Amino acid sequence: MPDPNELLETAIAEARAGLAEGGVPIGAALFREDGTLLGKGHNRRVQNDDPSAHAETEAFRAAGRQADYRQTIMVTTLAPCWYCSGLIRQFGIGKAIVGESENFAGGSAWLAENGVEIIDLANPECVKLLGEFIATRPELWFEDIGKTSS
């Protein structure tokens, strides 16, 4: 498997792009197990006025149809919320690399209990990026996934 920290760089770049657009700084990418990038995206719920435009769903949509998701890796800067955790389970994505779960725990434990390999990198840049966003734009954060505890 490729270095998880290197894969995370793609998601971090997406999170930065989302922030630059005035949105929530969460990024994601879907890779094949060999490290081939299939799709990437960032949270666009503000930009698109679409509450379902989470980073993981944007990366998933950008990847297009795959014959088998078991050999794919979802990489995301933040632990996936319940909506995105459901996407991972629904399509049988075998592994999730999480940049951080300090600001939001999401559904990582549930995914692990259901056979998804979770690698939580506790990446300081991811923690800082979202932590600063929550501190400066709480109305955007608490409008959506911030309302749920985990």
Side-chain angles (χ1 to χ4, degrees):
M1 184 180 106
D3 180 344
N5 290 294
E6 289 179 14
L7 299 180
L8 182 61
E9 286 302 318
T10 301
I12 291 173
E14 285 294 315
R16 287 186 198 122
L19 183 62
E21 294 171 359
V24 181
I26 302 171
L30 188 66
F31 291 90
R32 283 197 187 107
E33 211 169 51
D34 67 2
T36 302
L37 177 64
L38 298 171
K40 61 185 178 174
H42 52 271
N43 187 299
R44 287 193 168 117
R45 65 181 183 80
V46 173
Q47 300 91 312
N48 294 356
D49 196 29
D50 178 356
S52 71
H54 288 206
E56 296 88 342
T57 58
E58 293 294 296
F60 182 78
R61 289 172 181 151
R65 293 175 55 216
Q66 304 295 312
D68 179 19
Y69 293 92
R70 175 68 37 205
Q71 304 302 312
T72 62
I73 305 166
M74 179 62 77
V75 181
T76 179
T77 58
L78 181 67
C81 69
W82 290 108
Y83 169 65
C84 296
S85 293
L87 179 144
I88 291 168
R89 286 277 293 132
Q90 172 69 31
F91 291 93
I93 295 171
K95 185 178 300 181
I97 296 172
V98 174
E100 68 108 343
S101 58
E102 184 177 319
N103 285 300
F104 182 75
S108 293
W110 176 75
L111 287 169
E113 289 168 7
N114 286 280
V116 177
E117 182 182 348
I118 302 293
I119 300 171
D120 189 334
L121 298 175
N123 179 281
E125 184 176 359
C126 291
V127 172
K128 182 180 178 188
L129 188 62
L130 190 62
E132 287 177 354
F133 178 81
I134 293 169
T136 59
R137 301 296 309 271
E139 74 287 356
L140 284 180
W141 175 249
F142 288 105
E143 175 184 302
D144 186 84
I145 63 174
K147 288 182 181 175
T148 60
S149 61
S150 58

